[in-house]
Amino acid sequence: MRELPDVLKDWEAVIGLEVHCELTTLETKMFCGCPNTHDAEPNANVCPVCLGMPGALPVPNKAAIESIVRAGLACNCEIQKHSMFYRKHYFYPDMAKNFQTTQGPVAFCMYGHLDLDVAGEGAAERPDGTGVDKAADGSYTTPVRILRIHMEEDAAKMNHLGGEEGRITSATESLIDYNRCGTPLTELVTEPDLRTPEEARLFMEKLRRIYLTLGISDCSMEHGSMRCDGNVSLRRRGETRLGTKTELKNINSFKSLHDGLAYEICRQAEVLEEGGVIYQETRHWEPSRRRTVVMRVKETADDYRLFPDPDLAPYDLTDEFIAHCAAEIPELPDAKRDRYMADFGLKRADAEQIAGDPDCAAFFEEAVAGETTKGAATVANVIVNDLTGYLNAAGIAISETSITPAQVKSLADLLASDAISSNQGREVFGLMAESGDDPAAIVDARGMRQVSDTGALEPIVDAVLARCGEQVEQYRGGNKRVVGFLVGQCMKDSKGKGNPKLFNQLLTAKLEA
Amino acid sequence: MATELDQLSASAIAAGVVAGDFTATEVARASLAAIEARDGEVAAFLQVSPELALAAAKATDDAIAAGEKVGPLAGVPVAFKDNMHLVGTRTTCASRMLADYDSTYTATCVSRLLDAGATPMGKTNMDEFAFGSSTETSHFHRTYNPWDTERVPGGSSGGSAASVAAGEVPVSLGSDTGGSIRQPAALCGVVGMKPTYGAVSRYGVVAFGSSLDQVGPFGRTVGDVALAMNALVAGGRDPRDCTSQDCPVDFLEHLDDPVEGRRVGIIPELMEAKGLTDEVKSAVEGAARTLESQGAELVEVDLPHMGDSIAAYYVIGPCEAFSNLARFDGVRYGYQEPGCATLAEQSSRSRAAGFGPEAKRRQMLGAYLLSSGVYEKYYYRAQQARTLITQDYAAAYERVDVILMPASPRSAFKFGEISDPTEMYLSDMYTISINIAGNGGISVPLGLGADTHLPVSAQLVGPAFKDRSLLTFARALERGTDAGAGMGDGAPVAPDFVGRGGDLA
């Protein structure tokens, strides 16, 4: 198969996403009072309503409606005052009533958009001259329209035992856990505006940051509380008609979304270039084998016999209700990122990473309280590099660590004032994480404070220059990089306590003199 | 003084229990004895619940002995249609599908009657999942009309109507989706009321047509029906049924108000409809004169879209039924066909064996009507018709307080007499439009028909949530008819069953 960049020169990929997100932060399920948690014993959080017992009736969860309206407002959607729930019928044991209560043609949230900023390597996936204006560094911005975000209920979870790969077809037994049945679930559907796997990945990341900031879900792709299906078709560059699409399922990470779509684009291109036909089908991404395989072929559209749910009155949202939801929306990630860049001079990537996680942003804001611009940039640096690396290695969230914003601030202050080098900074971070001690105390106890007094450093520099005549000759011969070796010698002589930046300055000044 | 239970109204029983004339336990035993003596021939019950009855009666007696306040239905024996959940009983919906289904919770309508002090005697027969007008589609057995056991009791709440007509209980509950309370009440000669949609909670009542279903009481007197209505709406809106509404009304308060000067609508076209028998027609005309003689004014009104109601009903009802009954797949509960190789086969064969012909017919009809391409043609237009019918009624109620019409076009028919489903559907020609519009309706006995000598009834229908006014007119009719038909206070127990078992010492 050809590589993606090559394929996308000849073919335009048309990608749309369907993103399901469980509202995990709500106390109760969508239409009953059962606890909205999945960590209980199987079939513990159930009642006549979510088990579909005869005679049971749904009562909608108002907090869920508030959550989806907030999501819609944050995604620039038009909030539909009048909408209703419908019943979507299919026979499968994961749906206790054999219909899913969902929304009809009019969803609570319609016609929104998110603007994607695409930069870095991923921006190169989109060839020049394909509808976006690229900046000198190759970055570009592109809008992605959102058709709708609607409210529905999740199905139960099934475990198929026996047979191959947990599929029902050859299972000897199928176990059903109805704890998940009735979980409030939102579904966002984009217009087919995405053109590269990178854009799809960025859209999901951006949406996840927004939902996390709104506090409506834990957005775990790993645990399935946020799930994504990708629809993709190809057409020759310049063609306006849409090709036949395939639907990609089993995407449980951003990487899977990107790589699955990239594979599918290349696969379709190969089939089409060989004169073959793309079938409208659902395909399953196998991350371990890095390929997609057919799940089922859709020969005809499913007939879900949608009709308005007679147990649930139509909604007429008031202006007051919508205003109340709007007032509950905190500062969104993009605005927060821009503020961090403007107020603290953070690099865009750092600002975006911190602003995208509400816990991380809160941590950052506590650590930078009263900081200078330089101090704030250093705090950001420690968070993005040291802290994130530490948390990833430990497999915990920022809310779960014992490291405090005050400790990070203390470490950043030591770094910003050149009291310790960045190498020492990493060492101190490790000691701090291990012991829980304050970084300043660690540095003092270990005598790590680096010397930034030129008076104390000059004799060392002079001694090194006198000793390393060969390197001095090389420098003066034009090999300026040799200064690095000389800095290293100075650091060695100072037992690592000298400020390497100052050594560099002193050495350069003396060599150029 | 020896008293026959079947000669007492519910209010007289409650008063007697409170006064200490007899105990709730004695009443419960009398009701059990009456059921024992009579139900072999009536077969109104699918399940009698003596343990529950005696336990509830004892609780009432203990409360009275302890000087506690008891509810307005203290010691009153009641029966529940078998689509209403009551923990300690099966809820079968008269279907093989749910033949062994134990109630996992108690329906709000049931618990409200029990909270008012009622004694639960058991569960009554019905058409399977309430699909029918004769109780003949019950999977288990027929129910026999106490006035003539060769005839049907009507349906779908046939068991509930028959149990009251036979004097086994003074009050029972039914559910009415297209006439399933009012038509069997008419055929059994008892009072049966379908309140306004939303007045009574549907929680725990197995759904047939969610937008049409409404629970209501049967009794031999209008007063007993009003008493039961009070209990059903006590406690206000049910938070478990978001289509229910608060109904803060005392239905007994204005029961005996005069109807003088009030306006009763008559729809001439309905009185000339094909299928309406002469005896029912003349009885309803007599009822109009009764009200007129009490000072009410008769006003002719027109419901131009009434003719579309059966068509609209047989679109909306089956669509909702298809959807509501989709859950019966044999996976979590209910009948499960053994030995199936695949899930699809298990669902399919369980449903094939678990449902009777009428239940299958309605679900297949609904599945077809909701399918894409067909939906727009039928369901959408049925909803438009529904709007027009509702508007017709609203316009009529600007001119009248209540409308008088037949409840059933004819008196009770014989078993097997009507075998064509569409002809059976015409049994509900006078009742269906009320479910379409959502208003209240009540069936009031007018004595025996001149030709068949079987019970005939009038139906009074009123504006939404004016159910108290409906009861006032029903009471006026009852009062006027008493004099003419010599019925004493309310409708009599069917003569073949009067006094059989059920002595209150």
Side-chain angles (χ1 to χ4, degrees), chain A residues 48-49 51-60 86-87 89 91-93 95-99 158 168 176 178 303 305-308 310-313, chain B residues 85 101 105 197 202-206 210-211 239-243 319-320 322-324 326-329 331-333 343 351 367 370-372 375 379:
Chain A
V49 178
L51 280 180
M53 288 293 178
L57 294 172
V59 177
Y86 276 61
R87 294 180 176 184
H89 301 85
F91 278 81
Y92 206 67
M95 189 50 73
K97 301 165 292 176
N98 285 321
F99 61 79
M158 290 188 73
I168 193 172
I176 317 173
Y178 288 97
D303 194 340
R305 300 186 160 83
L306 274 167
F307 84 115
D311 283 328
L312 295 162
Chain B
H85 289 294
Y101 184 83
Y105 61 105
Y197 183 84
R202 294 182 293 117
Y203 186 75
V205 181
V206 181
S210 306
S211 73
R240 292 180 184 277
D241 175 2
C242 59
T243 62
C319 287
E320 294 184 359
F322 155 76
S323 179
N324 285 326
R327 68 192 64 202
F328 301 110
D329 57 8
V331 172
R332 292 164 303 285
Y333 52 80
L343 173 67
R351 290 168 66 77
L370 286 175
S371 57
S372 72
Y375 174 83
Y379 185 84

Side-chain angles (χ1 to χ4, degrees), chain A residues 55 73 109 157 192 375 386-387 496:
Chain A
L73 290 169
C109 315
K157 205 168 188 164
D386 302 302
L387 183 59

